[in-house]
Amino acid sequence: MRLRNIPGSRERIAQSPYVIPEASLPEHRGAWREVFGSDRPIRLEIGMGKGRFLIDMARQNPDVSFLGIEKYSSVLIRALDKREECSDLDNLYFLRMDAADLTEVFAPGEISMIYLNFSDPWPKERHAGRRLPGPLFLDRYRQILPPDGQVRFKTDNTGLFAFAVESARSRNWQILSCTEDLHHDPQLCEGNVMTEYEERFSAAGHPICQLVLSPPLAAG
Ligand SMILES: C[S@@+](CC[C@H](N)C(=O)[O-])C[C@H]1O[C@@H](n2cnc3c(N)ncnc32)[C@H](O)[C@@H]1O
């Protein structure tokens, strides 16, 4: 998703109390709990889009801190519109950054869970390295998660889903659960929070796939 450039969006993002200033991101590496002023575990959504999932999750889980990463200011500004209506939430900040830079911003084990919701499929082979559930990104996620951390990926795109499963296998990630029809699996769907894309695609009759991973077991 890339929306038309919105004049003034960069300035508004720079002034928002809900967006961590871009230039300061590496300074928080290893100290993100201080940003929240709390020892709560920290979960990340990468490619949060318009942010509804994170706002609902933050509301339902006050004992967890949430960070939303989005590459484009024009998209982040939409999430900011919603965030500003929830000034009572003290457990949610947004970051405008590219997920390729994750390890420069987060220290080993600092993030307990990563959500990838309806990631862009990048269908052309020459763009495969940009797919967020791909092996290059799994290697980055492994560096910032603890051994019992999780990556939770949802999509309606069966090609991207198969690629994610194959990527996980190729990097020896543990597959904790895998379904190609989340909404009809009462056990796996329990507590599921829908994203904007999920609502749109499931309303159009697309089954929703979900893959839950944990990092590879240490050798020995
Ligand atoms: C298809 S949208 C999904 C939005 C939302 N997660 C949902 O499910 O409704 C994917 C989002 O990921 C963002 N994105 C793609 N690659 C990214 C990257 N490398 N770093 C940060 N965000 C990225 C895009 O800009 C877009 O907003």
Side-chain angles (χ1 to χ4, degrees):
M1 174 172 30
R2 197 170 173 183
L3 302 177
R4 204 163 31 88
N5 189 40
I6 300 169
S9 57
R10 280 190 177 265
E11 293 73 14
R12 197 175 140 211
I13 287 169
Q15 286 161 15
S16 172
Y18 305 120
V19 184
I20 307 296
E22 223 170 307
S24 76
L25 294 179
E27 292 165 25
H28 298 298
R29 192 175 186 273
W32 280 97
R33 282 181 168 72
E34 289 168 26
V35 170
F36 288 98
S38 158
D39 270 344
R40 296 178 298 229
I42 303 173
R43 300 186 193 173
L44 202 64
E45 185 186 9
I46 301 178
M48 67 170 174
K50 298 181 188 171
R52 197 184 93 186
F53 170 82
L54 272 182
I55 287 173
D56 289 349
M57 288 293 285
R59 170 97 44 225
Q60 290 178 24
N61 299 277
D63 51 347
V64 176
S65 295
F66 291 90
L67 291 170
I69 288 181
E70 173 51 54
K71 193 168 168 181
Y72 297 110
S73 303
S74 58
V75 184
L76 178 52
I77 206 89
R78 306 290 177 151
L80 211 44
D81 288 339
K82 293 199 190 77
R83 178 67 181 90
E84 284 169 357
E85 290 166 13
C86 310
S87 55
D88 58 312
L89 289 177
D90 68 351
N91 59 341
L92 174 61
Y93 287 105
F94 297 149
L95 280 54
R96 203 214 60 80
M97 64 173 275
D98 187 328
D101 300 327
L102 277 181
T103 58
E104 288 158 36
V105 173
F106 300 104
E110 193 165 25
I111 297 300
S112 66
M113 200 177 279
I114 295 173
Y115 297 98
L116 306 174
N117 291 322
F118 297 81
S119 307
D120 295 326
W122 294 107
K124 290 185 182 150
E125 204 42 50
R126 68 173 188 276
H127 294 144
R130 299 182 193 175
R131 296 176 194 153
L132 293 177
L136 299 177
F137 278 99
L138 287 176
D139 293 347
R140 295 176 177 121
Y141 306 152
R142 186 179 180 177
Q143 290 186 55
I144 65 170
L145 287 170
D148 65 346
Q150 287 186 12
V151 171
R152 303 180 71 92
F153 170 54
K154 288 195 280 189
T155 185
D156 69 315
N157 185 312
T158 50
L160 185 65
F161 192 67
F163 172 80
V165 172
E166 179 50 37
S167 302
R169 290 201 177 115
S170 75
R171 290 300 207 258
N172 295 319
W173 281 64
Q174 304 170 73
I175 297 181
L176 304 184
S177 71
C178 180
T179 175
E180 294 192 7
D181 197 356
L182 175 66
H183 292 181
H184 290 101
D185 185 320
Q187 204 180 336
L188 292 178
C189 199
E190 197 186 334
N192 181 53
V193 170
M194 297 248 258
T195 79
E196 270 110 350
Y197 271 65
E198 183 170 357
E199 198 151 274
R200 194 189 310 165
F201 288 130
S202 62
H206 300 204
I208 303 302
C209 310
Q210 179 181 263
L211 180 65
V212 180
L213 303 173
S214 199
L217 293 170

